[in-house]
Amino acid sequence: MTNQKLNQLSLSIRTVLFNCSLMLMIPGIAHAQEVDKQESQNVPSSETVKKNKENNEIEVIQVSYGYSSVEKSDLTGAISSVKLDEVIDLPAGNIMQNLQGRVPGLQISTNGNPSSGATVRIRGQGLGPLGNNDPLYIIDGIPTKSGLHEINSNDIEDVQVLRDAAAASIYGARSGNGVIVVTTKKGREGLDFNFRFNQTFEDFNYDLQPLNTSQRAQSVWQAAVNDGSNPDRASALYKFDWNKDYENPELYKIILPTFTDPSGVQRPADTDWFKEVTRSSQVRDFNLSLAGGGDRSRFYTSLGYYDAEGVVDGSKFERMTFRVNSDHDLVEDKLKVGQTLLITNQRANLINDLAGNILGLSIEQQSIVPVYNDEGGWGGPVPGITDRDNPVGIIERNRDNNHTFNKFLASFFVEYTPIKDLKLRSSVGIDYGQFNFRNFQRSYQAGTLNFGDNLTVESNWNRSIVLATTAEYKLLLDDKHKFTFLAGVEQIDFKTELSRGIGSGFASDDRDFAFLSQATDDVRVEGFGDAWTLDSIFGRIDYSYDQRYLAGLTIRRDGSSKFGKNNQYGNFPAVSAGWVISNEDFFDVEFISTLKLRASYGETGNQEIPTNATNTTYQPRYATQSLFTDRQDEGTAYDITGANSGTLPSGFVRAQTGNPDLKWETSTQSNVGVDFQLLSTTVYGSVDYFKKETKDILTLTQPIATLGEGAQKWVNGGTIENSGYEFIIGYEDYLDFDFLEDELKFDVSFNISNADNKVIALPEDVVNSFGGNGQDKTILGHSINSVYGYVADGLFQSQQEIDDHAIQSGAGLGRIRWADLDNNGVIDENDQDFFVTPDPDFIYGFNFTLNYKQWDFNMFWQGVKGGSVRNNWRLFTDFTSLNIGSNYGSRVLDAWSLDNSDSTVPALTLVDNNGEGRQSSFFWEDGSYLKLRNLSVGYRFEDKLLNDYGILDARIYLQGSNLLTITPDGTLSQDPEAPNEVFPVPRRITIGIDVSF
């Protein structure tokens, strides 16, 4: 079908739907027939009614996806429904953090930042660091890419993960990385007031053991002796009393100077920097909700307050949320209106963002540096110490640098049922965010560091308006043929604008007087704006014959202003089929209750590029920083009049080369799955196999410098293949034991999934951004995350090993031996290869729940098998030569020597002749781990006790998170999930109460 015909079809459907939407304002304009009351209301997608197949009753589970809901028994796509009752005891910072390991095919990475961010990947990823890999979130019908940390998890009723193209293609151009559909709570008849509060205590300790002042001095002495050099000249910080015998050295005494700095104000210390910058922290989660209504109107409203500290001192995040959801039957069984409203106020500290650097400095900064010098100023680097800042100073200077974010998320819908089984719906949604940040850095001096003041004031807003109109018709013929027809249109209009002001040279360091009007130096303003629109038309047909044969067909056409007119529109079709074998007359397997086969094939897209990607852009640069000095030139400014005074006029420089031929990034995915229930539905599960090819990946080239300014451009060209499997199995039943008074409810489940990644094609300008020699060794054919470098082959143990090995510059006893991969007898740049990938072999989770009378117990384990992580800490813990002025770890005290040849720590030296800091397998280790994510016990009070106080329900609980981490033998990473300079994942103990009136 040509684009012209598709546009005409789009216009025709829009006209029909628009005319239908006008009818919404005129109740009774069409002849009304009686409709089932359940059909006229939004049935919560988590509502479940389980019936026995033996009684010929149907299991009814409504699943929300794709602008409507469908019975789970009719699903042909790969959709995972989240059991929210399993994570109800966890703090409500971000629901995605709490789902880690619970949904097959959903890979979630988190850290301990109180701002509660999470990296989410569905069925692997696309172009890694050079592409967009985030899923699309649909919150009450409003699409967003910003994640779920901005909403109150206590308000969430239901979460659906759309994994394959059959389920996700209805969202078209933004669904290439999968879709997560979130539905918030609605009201119901009656009145229910709920109060929920929990308090969490956090702590964390690194097991890196940085050296104290005496130990570090000893390691420097040993390194100098190993080198045959004079230890007294190794560092300005120490002198040594020793026997001067390099063959049999003995250290008698370490002599520290009275002052370590030339000004004589900084005395030697023995600072435990990690202890100085960390703390035991707390998280408070408070939520009030009121839900109720009558037979015509229902509402849900809540007020939430989430207050989180981090284990890094000074880190903090606060979020206040207010929500009102309601729906009203203006004309019973005919006309309904409703709305959702969320208002949030978030406040976070800059320390949250700096925490990784602060913790890194607490390991790297030498203990000889004091927190404060004798004059009350900051202790800092001096001769003999790496030029690194004081981590306590960073905290104290940023405690009052807070940024705020306000979010307004609202939707309004009107729904009209002119005849039985025909539902017309129009909605408008708005997602508005406002970010404000005032960052004032006071002038300070710390040792040899000396910085002036600086103020940055930033304001940014963005808003997205979503208009959608749908028509849904359900048709049942002969009690066997069941059809569901859905057609709709949607428009998204997005705008954003950022303003930034910068200045320095303030007369006072009081934050209350530091405003841009008071700046006397380097005053400038910056700004940015962006806008795009997405215009869509879509349709879906679901068919079921006699609850045995299922089929689905979806098509969506998107037009985006981000692309040039030649490729502005994209089509995203999908088809799926299912066969419920267990409903066939010939099927008579007693222990199998349900057996359904599913298959699907379809396309999804991605449009996540800047709106100016198709255009060549130019910008003024009033100053260009020199790479070799601290001076700046005039950039594109030029004194064209020769006046040699005043403000110079500026020219422009090319910032980006346009590409008018850009087109959609498209993911083509096939999926085959089996759903089953065994032993009278006590055993349940599913297994899926998928293959996904993402082509025309939108990515930014990395051109060589000789191509000139602004040579980089957005291109299509990458192709990534992801394939894997997802499996979940569970067992749920009631068990009787003679020694128990009542039944024991038992629910255990296990899931495992895998996603292999392989690069099929990349643009020439991008391929070497991932390593390789540009010839026979490139990322092509490897995982997008593969690491290129040298392979470490142990340590040289004898002179004979050195002589027998390939020629290696820097070879010596106790030095790292590099593998001769090309077998040419010389270690050089040709001995590099892609030696490791961070991708796990599989991820898994195990959930165990018990209920007995008023008691409930839950235990959840989550793990990763395979893959690798880089342990950057080894730069400090294993070497005295790679960062000569930093602190070291206790492992250097057990470094290789002739008397300690079993050590894996290279011999100590002060000179890195062997290039041991290069990218190599020495720093990479097994990324496998198994974590006890959740351990909780709760007690629900008996009704007869509560009734006397007018309480409907009350429960108290005790919960622990990240209580235990098991890693393979030989690995050094304490936590492979957060192995380096990031906010660590703390242990958490939570106590809470949940009361309903």
Side-chain angles (χ1 to χ4, degrees):
M1 186 178 292
T2 66
N3 285 345
Q4 182 179 5
K5 292 182 178 180
L6 282 170
N7 290 333
Q8 292 173 350
L9 175 62
S10 172
L11 179 60
S12 300
I13 295 179
R14 289 169 191 272
T15 303
V16 172
L17 293 176
F18 177 73
N19 291 333
C20 290
S21 66
L22 291 178
M23 297 168 60
L24 301 178
M25 306 307 297
I26 313 174
I29 195 171
H31 179 67
Q33 299 183 24
E34 289 296 322
V35 294
D36 181 58
K37 186 175 182 180
Q38 184 178 9
E39 282 294 320
S40 69
Q41 297 180 1
N42 285 335
V43 179
S45 57
S46 60
E47 181 178 342
T48 303
V49 182
K50 292 187 176 180
K51 309 283 186 176
N52 292 327
K53 179 185 173 186
E54 289 80 1
N55 296 329
N56 295 320
E57 294 177 319
I58 301 172
E59 177 187 24
V60 179
I61 302 177
Q62 292 289 333
V63 177
S64 294
Y65 89 103
Y67 304 91
S68 64
S69 62
V70 66
E71 292 181 10
K72 185 176 181 180
S73 59
D74 292 338
L75 284 177
T76 51
I79 300 178
S80 294
S81 300
V82 176
K83 294 182 178 180
L84 294 182
D85 56 343
E86 294 178 352
V87 298
I88 193 171
D89 292 343
L90 279 69
N94 185 347
I95 188 66
M96 298 312 299
Q97 286 188 332
N98 298 341
L99 298 184
Q100 193 170 12
R102 296 181 180 271
V103 180
L106 186 65
Q107 185 174 359
I108 302 173
S109 302
T110 65
N111 57 46
N113 194 313
S115 296
S116 304
T119 300
V120 180
R121 299 290 179 263
I122 298 176
R123 292 186 164 180
Q125 66 179 24
L127 199 51
L130 298 187
N132 179 270
N133 305 284
D134 297 325
L136 176 68
Y137 298 90
I138 308 294
I139 304 174
D140 290 329
I142 302 176
T144 178
K145 281 275 188 175
S146 61
L148 299 180
H149 59 286
E150 298 168 355
I151 70 175
N152 183 357
S153 297
N154 291 297
D155 292 337
I156 295 177
E157 173 73 23
D158 178 64
V159 177
Q160 306 287 341
V161 181
L162 314 186
R163 294 174 287 154
D164 72 340
S169 65
I170 193 70
Y171 295 106
R174 306 178 71 190
S175 61
N177 296 316
V179 181
I180 296 175
V181 180
V182 177
T183 306
T184 58
K185 294 178 180 178
K186 305 295 189 296
R188 54 186 178 273
E189 292 189 21
L191 191 65
D192 180 19
F193 175 76
N194 179 263
F195 165 77
R196 181 177 178 83
F197 175 78
N198 58 52
Q199 175 93 32
T200 300
F201 303 91
E202 299 180 334
D203 69 90
F204 183 86
N205 286 306
Y206 269 126
D207 190 23
L208 296 174
Q209 301 175 343
L211 301 181
N212 60 33
T213 300
S214 176
Q215 290 172 328
R216 186 185 185 281
Q218 180 182 345
S219 65
V220 171
W221 172 81
Q222 185 64 64
V225 170
N226 289 350
D227 293 340
S229 61
N230 184 352
D232 288 341
R233 297 180 180 177
S235 173
L237 301 174
Y238 322 113
K239 300 295 182 184
F240 303 96
D241 181 9
W242 66 297
N243 64 356
K244 308 297 192 297
D245 184 354
Y246 287 92
E247 297 298 327
N248 298 287
E250 290 186 42
L251 177 62
Y252 304 133
K253 184 180 180 181
I254 298 169
I255 304 170
L256 300 177
T258 304
F259 296 98
T260 60
D261 66 317
S263 302
V265 297
Q266 188 166 299
R267 298 177 185 272
D270 201 4
T271 306
D272 186 340
W273 286 107
F274 182 81
K275 184 177 180 180
E276 292 287 343
V277 302
T278 58
R279 64 183 177 187
S280 295
S281 57
Q282 299 184 34
V283 178
R284 288 161 289 276
D285 184 15
F286 174 88
N287 193 74
L288 291 173
S289 68
L290 181 64
D295 58 351
R296 299 288 294 269
S297 294
R298 294 150 296 275
F299 72 92
Y300 170 87
T301 183
S302 72
L303 179 66
Y305 177 65
Y306 181 79
D307 180 20
E309 299 174 341
V311 292
V312 176
D313 190 20
S315 59
K316 188 175 180 62
F317 174 77
E318 288 181 289
R319 183 185 65 210
M320 292 190 66
T321 61
F322 174 71
R323 174 175 289 279
V324 177
N325 293 347
S326 69
D327 60 277
H328 314 274
D329 296 324
L330 299 184
V331 179
E332 187 175 2
D333 298 337
K334 278 291 185 180
L335 182 63
K336 177 196 288 189
V337 297
Q339 54 76 224
T340 65
L341 170 66
L342 170 68
I343 300 175
T344 71
N345 179 66
Q346 296 177 189
R347 183 181 176 89
N349 198 299
L350 182 60
I351 298 173
N352 296 352
D353 304 319
L354 301 175
N357 179 51
I358 291 170
L359 288 175
L361 288 172
S362 74
I363 305 301
E364 185 179 356
Q365 186 62 274
Q366 293 190 37
S367 59
I368 199 173
V369 177
V371 177
Y372 302 99
N373 60 31
D374 287 359
E375 295 182 340
W378 296 114
V382 296
I385 297 177
T386 301
D387 190 14
R388 296 293 185 268
D389 204 350
N390 183 321
V392 176
I394 295 176
I395 291 174
E396 296 303 323
R397 294 191 298 270
N398 287 284
R399 284 188 185 274
D400 54 2
N401 280 326
N402 300 306
H403 50 80
T404 60
F405 178 76
N406 302 107
K407 189 178 187 70
F408 179 87
L409 187 70
S411 66
F412 173 81
F413 75 87
V414 57
E415 189 174 281
Y416 182 51
T417 306
I419 60 174
K420 183 180 180 180
D421 296 326
L422 174 60
K423 184 185 298 183
L424 307 177
R425 182 184 176 100
S426 287
S427 65
V428 56
I430 182 169
D431 181 1
Y432 179 85
Q434 178 74 48
F435 175 84
N436 290 285
F437 184 30
R438 185 162 169 263
N439 180 10
F440 180 50
Q441 298 292 330
R442 299 169 177 85
S443 61
Y444 73 96
Q445 182 171 349
T448 57
L449 298 178
N450 194 347
F451 290 94
D453 57 18
N454 180 266
L455 173 67
T456 301
V457 179
E458 182 175 310
S459 178
N460 172 234
W461 64 265
N462 62 80
R463 71 106 177 100
S464 180
I465 297 177
V466 183
L467 302 173
T469 299
T470 60
E472 183 183 49
Y473 182 64
K474 294 185 177 181
L475 176 65
L476 180 62
L477 301 176
D478 299 330
D479 291 328
K480 288 188 176 182
H481 300 275
K482 182 168 62 175
F483 295 88
T484 299
F485 302 92
L486 175 73
V489 293
E490 184 177 67
Q491 296 84 34
I492 300 175
D493 184 7
F494 175 85
K495 287 185 178 181
T496 185
E497 185 173 335
L498 177 145
S499 300
R500 184 185 296 119
I502 303 169
S504 60
F506 295 89
S508 170
D509 66 355
D510 189 331
R511 181 182 180 85
D512 293 335
F513 293 92
F515 294 93
L516 288 176
S517 61
Q518 305 300 316
T520 60
D521 192 21
D522 192 27
V523 180
R524 64 186 188 275
V525 295
E526 300 173 354
F528 168 80
D530 198 7
W532 56 266
T533 58
L534 187 70
D535 199 7
S536 310
I537 181 171
F538 54 87
R540 186 176 70 217
I541 301 175
D542 292 314
Y543 171 72
S544 171
Y545 173 72
D546 197 24
Q547 299 176 12
R548 289 183 290 164
Y549 309 117
L550 312 170
L553 177 64
T554 302
I555 180 69
R556 179 166 177 136
R557 178 172 170 81
D558 284 318
S560 175
S561 64
K562 290 189 175 185
F563 300 94
K565 61 182 180 180
N566 294 335
N567 297 300
Q568 198 164 24
Y569 286 87
N571 300 316
F572 304 96
V575 61
S576 60
W579 180 24
V580 187
I581 304 176
S582 53
N583 286 343
E584 293 286 359
D585 293 337
F586 64 79
F587 188 86
D588 188 20
V589 181
E590 185 175 352
F591 72 93
I592 299 179
S593 306
T594 303
L595 181 62
K596 180 169 72 173
L597 301 182
R598 294 177 282 104
S600 67
Y601 179 86
E603 293 183 354
T604 53
N606 177 31
Q607 63 149 17
E608 299 305 314
I609 56 173
T611 56
N612 61 8
T614 59
N615 302 313
T616 299
T617 60
Y618 298 85
Q619 65 183 32
R621 292 179 183 170
Y622 292 98
T624 304
Q625 182 68 47
S626 170
L627 297 176
F628 309 104
T629 71
D630 60 356
R631 296 185 176 183
Q632 296 179 336
D633 62 23
E634 283 76 25
T636 58
Y638 183 72
D639 188 12
I640 194 169
T641 63
N644 197 28
S645 65
T647 302
L648 299 179
S650 178
F652 294 85
V653 66
R654 187 176 61 176
Q656 170 187 284
T657 300
N659 183 358
D661 295 322
L662 274 178
K663 58 183 178 180
W664 299 96
E665 174 183 315
T666 303
S667 295
T668 302
Q669 185 174 177
S670 56
N671 188 94
V672 178
V674 179
D675 300 327
F676 58 87
Q677 290 180 315
L678 312 175
L679 304 176
S680 299
T681 73
T682 58
V683 177
Y684 58 90
S686 66
V687 58
D688 284 86
Y689 173 79
F690 69 91
K691 187 172 183 179
K692 175 182 176 182
E693 183 179 271
T694 304
K695 61 183 180 180
D696 296 325
I697 290 181
L698 296 164
T699 187
L700 188 63
T701 63
Q702 307 291 320
I704 58 177
T706 55
L707 294 180
E709 292 274 7
Q712 66 179 15
K713 64 178 180 178
W714 286 90
V715 298
N716 295 106
T719 301
I720 305 292
E721 180 183 277
N722 289 324
S723 61
Y725 61 84
E726 297 152 355
F727 174 69
I728 184 170
I729 188 170
Y731 175 68
E732 182 179 10
D733 203 358
Y734 289 89
L735 305 177
D736 288 315
F737 296 96
D738 294 337
F739 58 87
L740 294 179
E741 298 179 0
D742 205 347
E743 288 182 321
L744 181 69
K745 184 180 179 181
F746 178 88
D747 187 0
V748 59
S749 62
F750 173 79
N751 75 81
I752 184 172
S753 60
N754 150 271
D756 293 326
N757 177 287
K758 184 168 65 174
V759 182
I760 305 300
L762 279 182
E764 184 177 350
D765 290 338
V766 175
V767 65
N768 283 334
S769 298
F770 299 93
N773 59 15
Q775 301 171 13
D776 61 320
K777 295 180 180 180
T778 69
I779 195 71
L780 295 175
H782 300 275
S783 164
I784 194 66
N785 300 310
S786 295
V787 182
Y788 185 80
Y790 294 84
V791 176
D793 186 24
L795 306 179
F796 287 113
Q797 300 290 334
S798 66
Q799 186 60 46
Q800 185 64 45
E801 287 189 10
I802 298 173
D803 295 339
D804 293 342
H805 188 58
I807 298 174
Q808 176 178 319
S809 177
L813 294 177
R815 303 265 57 84
I816 298 176
R817 177 175 53 218
W818 307 115
D820 184 16
L821 299 183
D822 61 359
N823 296 312
N824 69 347
V826 178
I827 302 299
D828 54 24
E829 65 276 5
N830 295 320
D831 292 303
Q832 298 181 82
D833 206 346
F834 291 93
F835 62 85
V836 77
T837 174
D839 302 335
D841 296 333
F842 56 83
I843 57 178
Y844 60 97
F846 174 79
N847 189 69
F848 179 84
T849 301
L850 288 176
N851 293 87
Y852 177 70
K853 289 189 173 181
Q854 276 70 46
W855 292 94
D856 57 82
F857 170 81
N858 179 262
M859 178 175 62
F860 177 68
W861 294 83
Q862 180 264 330
V864 168
K865 176 63 175 68
S868 298
V869 295
R870 179 180 167 91
N871 187 349
N872 288 336
W873 296 123
R874 297 191 75 171
L875 290 166
F876 306 115
T877 61
D878 287 27
F879 298 93
T880 55
S881 57
L882 297 185
N883 200 350
I884 197 70
S886 73
N887 201 2
Y888 312 129
S890 61
R891 284 172 53 84
V892 301
L893 301 178
D894 187 43
W896 188 95
S897 67
L898 291 174
D899 298 327
N900 189 32
S901 59
D902 291 335
S903 175
T904 59
V905 180
L908 301 186
T909 179
L910 298 176
V911 183
D912 180 29
N913 291 322
N914 197 35
E916 292 176 340
R918 69 184 73 179
Q919 178 67 279
S920 75
S921 61
F922 183 86
F923 297 99
W924 289 81
E925 54 193 43
D926 194 339
S928 303
Y929 67 82
L930 175 62
K931 286 192 175 187
L932 180 55
R933 288 287 184 190
N934 180 59
L935 188 66
S936 64
V937 59
Y939 178 78
R940 176 165 276 106
F941 292 92
E942 297 184 9
D943 293 340
K944 61 182 180 180
L945 177 64
L946 301 178
N947 291 338
D948 295 338
Y949 299 95
I951 300 175
L952 297 177
D953 188 31
R955 177 175 175 269
I956 59 174
Y957 56 92
L958 176 66
Q959 184 267 341
S961 300
N962 304 312
L963 300 179
L964 177 65
T965 300
I966 301 173
T967 58
D969 291 338
T971 59
L972 302 177
S973 293
Q974 183 174 348
D975 185 358
E977 184 181 11
N980 299 307
E981 300 93 331
V982 298
F983 214 120
V985 180
R987 291 174 290 272
R988 298 184 175 103
I989 300 295
T990 300
I991 56 175
I993 183 171
D994 192 344
V995 182
S996 294
F997 299 89

